[in-house]
Amino acid sequence: MRLPPQWLVAPALGAVMALGHAPLGWWWATLLAATALFSLMPPTPRGATRWLWLGGLGYFGLALVWIVQPFFINPAVHGWMAPFALAFMAGGMALFWAGAGLAARFGPVLVAVIFLALELLRGWVLTGFPWAMLGHVLIDTPLVQLASLGGAGLLSGIVLGVAALLGLAQTWRGRMLGSGVMIAVLAAAWVWGAARGPSDMAQTGPVVRLVQPNAPQTEKWDQARALFFFERMLDQTATPAQNPPALIVWPETSVPFLLDYPGAAFGIMADAASTHGPDTQIGFGVQRLDAGRYFNSLAILDTKGQVGQVYDKHHLVPFGEYIPFAEWIADSPVGGLAGQALQGYSPGPGPRALDLGPLGRALPLICYEAIFPRHSRIAPRPDWLLQVTNDAWFGTFSGPYQHLAQARLRAVEQGLPLLRSANTGVSAGFDGYGQPLGQLVLGEDGFIDIALPPALPPTPYARWGDVPIWALLVLLAVSLAAARRFR
């Protein structure tokens, strides 16, 4: 049986759109393919819905291909799940695109408006998954500075605006006019973005050392290898520096013991940190047990070996750190791939900043939490963002680089420096403009010392979040509906 062309063309166009994401960063391919996807979209709701779902299937199938990696950590047990996980995620995310096709009978502009609204809703529905938003393809361009005004929603609106004006115009004259408008707008935004941040920000703040032990997930919890990686982090911590660090950051779940049962480890860690002075602290990712429940946490250790502030991750990964709704049956969380033993993690109370003295107030983000813009907007405003993560789960191709790009986007949105320590990489730092302050290579062990820059004044996005974008979308939808009614 011969398949209709749309079953091949739409997924192919969606896959080309995905090439704009890290590590390739071919944003121009996304714009061209998105234009073609909208241009060839059938005019009927049924046809448009099917077409956009197929396009989304190709897009998310390639953009989220890294999602199979966790299942190959223990392939004998979980490997068979990998293709089903990718198909489920790609097909499920594509439903958000398909929803926009239902508005096809009301005109192509409304399709684009609803498309953007559904893109934003992806960050909320079923705990949310705003990975691979269309606007993320612009993170490595000067246009990323627009995120300080409207976040990832505004960047996605730019991509959709190009596709809508060029792909949905009914005449060649309309397409030429749309091309001229978009070229002018993009050129102005590009110049503004390129000029927004200084070429070199003064590096005069306190120094933070980011440690990258490069522990492969297959070896991370092996008893003999875990001790080796722990000693590697101790060596990286104690290495002398011209400008001694005030804080040394170890990645997510970096130590092979529970916070409550450290043995002599805290004293050994404190001795390593004290080589830099009596006030150097260590921030380290650790699992802890409290009242029979496990938490994925970040703890602060002083040079006396005393644990002070502790932050518990509050936005957990469904099926990775817990199984949704399983506690209704088991009366306790049930673990996913990354859960402690057979029991999953419990969520912490919510985002909160840690007072690190001369380093100011740092807002911790543990791994997955950094992909949600709302978790970086708290009051009172922190001085900087601190991410610890274990991207060994994401493989070595696209996952770690896409995660890094989203962390950079959070810095631009909030106008805050962001430093991240990643187990296998990429450990890096960004200032409030999203400009790199230094980074380590993926898949290598080492450390990097970064002088913490000051925070920028609160950005419009830091003040209002997605409210202006939602208000504009509602206004556009109402205006289009009214114009159609009185036509």
Side-chain angles (χ1 to χ4, degrees):
M1 180 178 178
R2 184 178 180 183
L3 293 175
Q6 63 177 327
W7 289 85
L8 299 176
V9 175
L13 289 174
V16 173
M17 289 174 63
L19 298 179
H21 292 289
L24 296 179
W26 294 354
W27 57 269
W28 46 269
T30 302
L31 295 182
L32 292 175
T35 299
L37 187 73
F38 277 85
S39 178
L40 298 174
M41 183 178 66
T44 64
R46 181 176 179 180
T49 299
R50 181 171 58 245
W51 175 262
L52 290 178
W53 183 81
L54 289 169
L57 187 66
Y59 174 81
F60 290 107
L62 182 56
L64 302 181
V65 70
W66 55 267
I67 210 167
V68 305
Q69 294 295 328
F71 298 94
F72 292 115
I73 300 300
N74 188 354
V77 177
H78 301 123
W80 66 272
M81 302 179 186
F84 297 100
L86 181 58
F88 174 80
M89 284 299 298
M93 293 296 101
L95 291 175
F96 287 90
W97 286 26
L102 297 173
R105 61 176 295 189
F106 300 106
V109 178
L110 188 59
V111 171
V113 170
I114 294 179
F115 195 115
L116 180 55
L118 293 173
E119 270 285 274
L120 293 172
L121 282 176
R122 275 208 291 123
W124 294 86
V125 175
L126 298 177
T127 78
F129 190 66
W131 198 292
M133 291 183 66
L134 285 177
H136 290 171
V137 305
L138 301 178
I139 291 175
D140 201 29
T141 75
L143 295 176
V144 71
Q145 299 302 324
L146 293 171
S148 65
L149 306 178
L154 180 55
L155 298 182
S156 296
I158 292 292
V159 176
L160 282 169
V162 172
L165 281 179
L166 302 185
L168 301 179
Q170 302 298 312
T171 65
W172 279 107
R173 181 179 179 183
R175 292 179 181 179
M176 292 299 294
L177 179 61
S179 299
V181 171
M182 288 311 305
I183 289 174
V185 170
L186 290 176
W190 192 287
V191 171
W192 174 78
R196 181 171 180 260
S199 58
D200 56 336
M201 209 169 185
Q203 301 290 297
T204 57
V207 174
V208 177
R209 174 169 293 182
L210 306 176
V211 166
Q212 183 170 300
N214 192 35
Q217 196 61 37
T218 52
E219 303 177 15
K220 183 175 172 63
W221 300 122
D222 178 84
Q223 189 171 5
R225 297 296 288 169
L227 179 60
F228 169 79
F229 293 123
F230 180 69
E231 292 176 343
R232 173 180 283 178
M233 288 185 290
L234 290 174
D235 291 340
Q236 294 169 339
T237 296
T239 300
Q242 183 175 359
N243 296 311
L247 176 69
I248 299 168
V249 184
W250 293 13
E252 179 188 16
T253 58
S254 54
V255 295
F257 53 80
L258 294 174
L259 182 67
D260 319 82
Y261 306 99
F266 286 165
I268 298 172
M269 293 167 64
D271 287 343
S274 66
T275 60
H276 303 290
D279 299 320
T280 300
Q281 304 176 90
I282 296 179
F284 62 103
V286 62
Q287 300 172 97
R288 73 181 191 91
L289 178 64
D290 184 10
R293 292 180 177 269
Y294 289 95
F295 295 87
N296 186 356
S297 308
L298 173 71
I300 304 298
L301 183 76
D302 64 25
T303 51
K304 296 179 181 179
Q306 300 296 314
V307 172
Q309 301 170 90
V310 177
Y311 164 76
D312 296 321
K313 183 178 183 181
H314 70 279
H315 197 141
L316 303 177
V317 182
F319 302 101
E321 294 175 311
Y322 75 104
I323 303 298
F325 311 118
E327 68 273 17
W328 293 1
I329 301 174
D331 196 32
S332 67
V334 177
L337 291 175
Q340 172 68 33
L342 295 177
Q343 188 174 14
Y345 293 123
S346 294
R352 69 180 183 90
L354 304 179
D355 187 351
L356 299 180
L359 286 160
R361 298 175 65 255
L363 177 63
L365 301 167
I366 298 181
C367 189
Y368 184 68
E369 292 177 327
I371 75 171
F372 296 91
R374 62 183 181 272
H375 296 333
S376 299
R377 296 179 61 245
I378 67 169
R381 186 179 186 235
D383 298 302
W384 58 291
L385 306 175
L386 172 61
Q387 184 190 15
V388 294
T389 184
N390 177 20
D391 289 1
W393 289 103
F394 298 164
T396 59
F397 174 56
S398 60
Y401 295 108
Q402 291 177 8
H403 201 196
L404 174 70
Q406 291 176 81
R408 179 184 182 186
L409 183 60
R410 299 292 87 81
V412 179
E413 289 172 345
Q414 302 300 320
L416 295 175
L418 181 145
L419 304 184
R420 71 190 312 257
S421 174
N423 171 26
T424 54
V426 178
S427 300
F430 302 96
D431 64 19
Y433 295 107
Q435 296 183 127
L437 301 172
Q439 70 178 47
L440 297 173
V441 176
L442 178 67
E444 295 186 6
D445 65 277
F447 66 87
I448 185 171
D449 291 342
I450 296 178
L452 184 66
L456 303 179
T459 64
Y461 188 79
R463 295 179 184 275
W464 302 306
D466 291 321
V467 172
I469 294 292
W470 278 110
L472 179 60
L473 290 175
V474 171
L475 179 62
L476 284 172
V478 171
S479 299
L480 290 169
R484 180 178 177 84
R485 180 178 180 182
F486 293 106
R487 184 175 303 170

